[in-house]
């Protein structure tokens, strides 16, 4: 359950290598074949069992935190890590380490059997990561946007990211800010069963209804370029202003979630086309994958092109065989543990899921006057309020408190989860119970001048 991003090692993984021209004699990809493939590979059916997390961090040099980190320090920290595995990017417990376009570091856990194993494995690998960075005088900062006024710049020149930069630049600054100035916590859970209380459709509905509560409760990006933006989750606001063909939730009018996702994939604009080494990956403007299949591209697309295209789509929930929840800001310290515990408890415990669905129903745009014809997440009303007001919004606060209480009860039914239950309860008391979120800590610190970055794993 890892993101398809560029690794820190010099080697390029197979899904990032330049693609040779499609071989002659290959059966052309059809729309029906593409829909069938996407529906089959993006929703793996079976009882929910596996849990994964992807945690991202900004890197600051404690000696000069407002300046970009010197490349030699970053590389020294990365090279000192005990990496192994087949691609040389795995930490001892199996987490994969990657470098994002703006120099953010991402730790992606392997799929674990259950919440407890996921947290234990990720904590072990994160300890190694922190130690390596502290040894170089570097700090891992868990915030949704970089809180300091330092230059944002691309540190990777892979043709994927160069094409992405050009694609997003044509529609304003939001794509570049996303690439170089945001960080998240992502939770990955199995898609679900064919039917019953853990059915795919039910879990899909729950994660989308849950989105505004997760944004609000864990909002942690009130600053951009060192200044308040007026949004508790600036990161979420940035995402809401980007290319709608790849950042909105799929259209619910398609009915079946697998068919809705397949149509979404075909109707999204092509961001890049892999070409032989030395050639740019830039895609023609306005080319959707459906148009490419119908002959709009420079060559017929292949199944590999379709699979690669899926990695360039960034809706709030991305189905990749499992469900990848992408709407949550990066958290300070071990805050990611609370995120993982809350989401897993609400999704995998049927009683908690029922409670959450009922509490979240008032936030569902399909039940509002605008109905299904209104804006889709993350541009719908509840998602916008969550990004701006967080749990200071009374409706979101009520829903959040109900969800935290349901998760608390679910963790009480999970053997061995006592410490996780305590962490979730302490977070609920510190933040949503008081109408606050982690972003308020940053704003308080800015007003008081007590510290320049959130408390984190600082170098001694």
């Amino acid at each position: 359950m890892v993101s398809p991003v560029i690794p820190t090692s010099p080697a390029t993984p197979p899904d990032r290598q330049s693609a040779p021209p499609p071989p002659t004699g290959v059966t052309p990809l059809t729309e029906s074949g593409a829909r069938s493939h996407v529906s089959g590979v993006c929703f793996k059916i079976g009882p929910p069992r596996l849990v994964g997390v992807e945690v991202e961090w900004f890197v600051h040099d404690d000696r000069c935190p407002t300046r970009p980190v010197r490349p030699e320090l970053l590389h020294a920290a990365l090279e000192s890590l005990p990496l192994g595995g087949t691609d040389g990017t795995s930490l001892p417990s199996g987490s994969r380490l990657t470098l994002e376009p703006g120099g953010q570091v991402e730790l992606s856990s392997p799929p674990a059997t259950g919440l407890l194993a996921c947290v234990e494995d990720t904590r072990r690998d994160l300890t190694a990561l922190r130690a390596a960075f502290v040894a170089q005088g570097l700090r891992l900062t868990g915030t949704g946007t970089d809180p300091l006024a330092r230059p944002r710049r691309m540190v990777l020149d892979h043709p994927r990211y160069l094409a992405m930069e050009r694609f997003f630049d044509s529609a304003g600054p939001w794509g570049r800010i996303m690439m170089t100035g945001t960080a998240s916590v992502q939770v990955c859970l199995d898609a679900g069963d064919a039917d019953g209380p853990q059915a795919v459709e039910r879990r899909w509905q729950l994660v989308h209804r849950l989105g505004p509560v997760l944004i609000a409760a864990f909002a942690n990006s009130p600053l951009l370029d060192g200044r308040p933006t007026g949004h508790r989750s600036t990161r979420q606001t940035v995402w809401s202003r980007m290319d709608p063909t790849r950042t909105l939730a799929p259209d619910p009018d398609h009915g079946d979630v697998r068919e809705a996702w397949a149509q979404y994939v075909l109707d999204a604009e092509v961001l890049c086309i892999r070409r032989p080494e030395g050639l740019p990956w830039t895609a023609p403007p306005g080319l959707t994958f459906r148009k490419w299949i119908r002959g709009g591209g420079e060559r017929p697309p292949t199944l590999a092109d379709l699979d690669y295209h899926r990695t360039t789509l960034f809706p709030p929930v991305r189905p990749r065989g499992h469900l990848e929840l992408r709407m949550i800001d990066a958290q300070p310290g071990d805050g990611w543990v609370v995120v993982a515990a809350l989401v897993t408890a609400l999704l995998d415990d049927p009683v908690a899921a029922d409670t959450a669905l009922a509490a979240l129903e008032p936030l569902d745009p399909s039940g509002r006057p605008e109905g299904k014809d209104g804006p889709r997440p993350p541009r719908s009303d509840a998602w916008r309020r969550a990004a701006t007001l967080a749990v200071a919004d009374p409706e979101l606060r009520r829903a959040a408190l109900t969800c935290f209480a349901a998760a608390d009860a679910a963790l009480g039914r999970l053997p061995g989860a006592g410490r996780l239950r305590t962490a979730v309860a302490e977070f609920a008391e510190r933040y949503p119970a008081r109408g606050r979120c982690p972003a308020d800590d940053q704003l308080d610190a800015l007003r008081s001048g007590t510290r320049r970055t959130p408390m984190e794993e600082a170098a001694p």
Side-chain angles (χ1 to χ4, degrees), residues 158-312:
H158 190 277
R160 169 189 171 99
Y161 290 131
L162 297 178
M164 185 180 292
E165 188 177 38
R166 180 170 179 177
F167 179 92
F168 287 131
D169 280 352
S170 65
W174 312 112
R176 189 181 290 260
I177 293 173
M178 177 276 292
M179 295 172 67
T180 61
T182 66
S184 68
V185 173
Q186 299 172 21
V187 183
C188 302
L189 298 170
D190 283 325
D193 280 328
D195 51 33
Q198 296 284 10
V200 168
E201 288 78 7
R202 180 179 172 84
R203 287 166 70 84
W204 182 258
Q205 180 188 47
L206 176 53
V207 292
H208 283 89
R209 283 191 182 180
L210 188 59
V213 163
L214 296 177
I215 294 167
F218 298 106
N220 190 33
S221 52
L223 309 176
L224 189 66
D225 297 329
R227 299 186 299 272
T229 64
H231 301 271
R232 293 297 194 274
S233 179
T234 302
R235 173 185 166 274
Q236 187 60 39
T237 299
V238 168
W239 276 105
S240 72
R241 296 178 180 179
M242 291 171 56
D243 170 30
T245 74
R246 63 183 3 89
T247 59
L248 295 187
D251 189 341
D253 288 342
H254 286 298
D256 178 80
V257 298
R258 284 159 286 198
E259 177 64 17
W261 177 247
Q263 297 288 355
Y264 182 96
V265 171
L266 293 181
D267 290 333
E269 290 191 27
V270 177
L271 186 148
C272 59
I273 297 175
R274 291 182 294 173
R275 298 185 177 92
E277 187 173 355
L279 296 178
W281 289 18
T282 308
L287 178 69
T288 67
F289 205 89
R290 191 186 303 276
K291 291 179 181 177
W292 193 3
I293 290 176
R294 293 178 178 179
E298 62 198 49
R299 59 169 174 80
T302 66
L303 201 59
D305 291 319
L306 177 61
D307 287 336
Y308 195 87
H309 172 64
R310 291 190 293 107
T311 74
T312 70

Side-chain angles (χ1 to χ4, degrees), residues 115 210 213-214 218 337-357 359 399-414 417-418 420-425 427-428:
L115 173 64
L210 188 59
V213 163
L214 296 177
F218 298 106
V337 174
V338 177
V339 176
L342 178 74
V343 173
T344 305
L346 293 177
L347 266 290
D348 287 358
D349 184 288
V351 176
D354 286 342
T355 302
L357 276 170
L401 289 173
T402 301
C403 288
F404 271 87
D408 176 77
L411 292 169
R413 293 186 285 269
L414 180 64
L420 294 180
R421 186 183 186 188
T422 298
V424 171
F427 184 97

